[in-house]
Amino acid sequence: MVESMAKFKIEDALALRAGKNFQIDSVDASATPGFDGDKAALDARFSKYDDELYELQERLFANGRSYGEDAPAVLIILQGMDTSGKGGAIRHVLSTFDPQGTTTVGFGKPTEEELEHDFLWRIRKHDPQPGQIVAFDRSHYEDVLIQRVHEWVDEEEVDRRIEAIRDYELELTAKGVKVIKIFLHLSKEAQNENLLERTEREDKFWKYDPADVEERAYWDEYMAAYQDAIRRTDENYAPWYVIPTDNKKYARMALKFLIVDLLRHLDLEWPAPDFDPEVERQRIKDAD
């Protein structure tokens, strides 16, 4: 019997890997690959690995506390067009974790100080420390994408930045950081609905930025820039996954499953004690 597609699996999430021949127009942003269940089934699958995910993250954090620089770390990079739900994905997925071991960094428009340095200067300050999971809401890729779309830099500089990004991500992996990159692929139609909602709901007014409407005029240019950047920087040490995102709950589920797979492959054990448990148990008893 074929397993129901309502039972989205980790293998289905891994199948969203972009690859060197990635074609952005081949991905239907409104689709839910590997899943055809209803809302209740989606909610159930979303929570399937929560207990395991919490333990895996605790093991990572514990290894960082116990082994210092010898412990691994994780960097999750989320990119996507405006209203694609990057912040929401981070909030819903990382809420499973112990806050001590997780950090979210949002990168907006560079400050005057940041513009005085190379584009990676402000990024490097947030490199994950051993035992930590760091999520970037936008990232160093912004300095390739938006700069290229608006032709604020020439193609030679775009090439230089892409090579710098490849070197940076390879450098991170050499330090024990596991890098995973997610493009939340939203359709132009869904973005239109999301922008309208931000002008209609009081609790979403604060999210609305008129500039987002102006950027829609460059949609095709952004898609081309994303496709090229993803193709040129998708590597086994820093893979790209393209998740259809019109259904945001589906996107969050897929992201969570990818993180489960990554943490499983760290294959971490609980740190061994640096004391004799039997001796310490006796000391505790004797102290009473």
Side-chain angles (χ1 to χ4, degrees):
M1 176 183 291
V2 177
E3 188 174 15
S4 169
M5 282 182 64
K7 294 186 177 179
F8 185 85
K9 304 178 294 299
I10 287 177
E11 291 76 12
D12 295 315
L14 293 171
L16 300 173
R17 174 79 181 267
K20 292 294 188 182
N21 298 314
F22 169 60
Q23 293 281 348
I24 201 164
D25 58 6
S26 70
V27 180
D28 180 356
S30 66
T32 55
F35 181 82
D36 65 358
D38 58 15
K39 181 179 181 298
L42 181 54
D43 289 341
R45 296 306 286 178
F46 179 77
S47 302
K48 176 175 174 56
Y49 294 111
D50 282 3
D51 290 343
E52 179 185 2
L53 199 55
Y54 179 82
E55 180 177 328
L56 289 169
Q57 187 253 337
E58 281 285 288
R59 288 191 188 190
L60 174 62
F61 182 64
N63 274 258
R65 289 285 295 270
S66 298
Y67 303 134
E69 295 298 320
D70 292 330
V74 172
L75 175 60
I76 304 165
I77 295 172
L78 278 87
Q79 287 288 150
M81 296 294 285
D82 297 312
T83 83
S84 60
K86 298 176 291 296
I90 291 172
R91 185 168 61 254
H92 284 83
V93 173
L94 269 62
S95 64
T96 306
F97 296 150
D98 183 336
Q100 291 187 94
T102 58
T103 304
T104 299
V105 184
F107 291 99
K109 183 179 179 181
T111 65
E112 290 186 10
E113 179 187 16
E114 289 168 345
L115 288 171
E116 293 175 355
H117 299 270
D118 182 73
F119 77 104
L120 286 173
W121 180 77
R122 67 173 181 159
I123 307 295
R124 289 180 181 277
K125 293 190 292 184
H126 302 285
D127 287 357
Q129 298 304 303
Q132 293 285 314
I133 295 177
V134 175
F136 283 175
D137 181 345
R138 299 186 187 274
S139 68
H140 37 291
Y141 284 92
E142 291 294 298
D143 291 290
V144 169
L145 297 162
I146 192 169
Q147 300 278 335
R148 187 178 198 179
V149 166
H150 288 282
E151 299 181 346
W152 294 335
V153 297
D154 59 24
E155 287 299 307
E156 182 178 354
E157 177 62 11
V158 169
D159 291 343
R160 185 194 74 80
R161 293 186 182 192
I162 286 178
E163 286 307 307
I165 286 172
R166 289 172 54 83
D167 290 343
Y168 168 61
E169 292 173 353
L170 187 58
E171 174 189 318
L172 286 175
T173 63
K175 294 192 296 185
V177 179
K178 301 300 181 182
V179 181
I180 183 172
K181 300 177 291 191
I182 310 296
F183 175 50
L184 296 174
H185 185 33
L186 184 75
S187 70
K188 194 174 184 181
E189 294 74 21
Q191 189 197 54
N192 179 272
E193 294 175 7
N194 293 338
L195 289 172
L196 284 173
E197 185 179 52
R198 291 183 177 183
T199 67
E200 296 167 346
R201 286 179 47 177
E202 184 180 58
D203 63 326
K204 292 186 177 289
F205 288 166
W206 64 277
K207 289 186 175 184
Y208 184 71
D209 183 349
D212 292 345
V213 179
E214 297 168 11
E215 290 301 298
R216 281 173 62 81
Y218 299 93
W219 189 274
D220 291 343
E221 289 83 353
Y222 273 110
M223 294 301 103
Y226 265 113
Q227 176 175 285
D228 185 59
I230 289 171
R231 283 180 174 181
R232 294 167 69 178
T233 60
D234 184 299
E235 301 290 349
N236 288 334
Y237 60 81
W240 272 106
Y241 294 90
V242 178
I243 303 179
T245 307
D246 285 7
N247 184 328
K248 290 183 179 179
K249 286 193 174 184
Y250 169 85
R252 293 165 187 168
M253 174 180 65
L255 172 60
K256 184 182 283 190
F257 280 35
L258 288 171
I259 296 172
V260 170
D261 181 73
L262 185 154
L263 292 177
R264 281 179 176 175
H265 278 87
L266 292 179
D267 197 24
L268 296 176
E269 300 291 338
W270 290 109
D274 57 0
F275 57 87
D276 186 321
E278 183 59 38
V279 169
E280 293 306 308
R281 280 194 294 272
Q282 191 59 50
R283 287 184 65 231
I284 294 169
K285 293 175 183 178
D286 292 343
D288 288 339

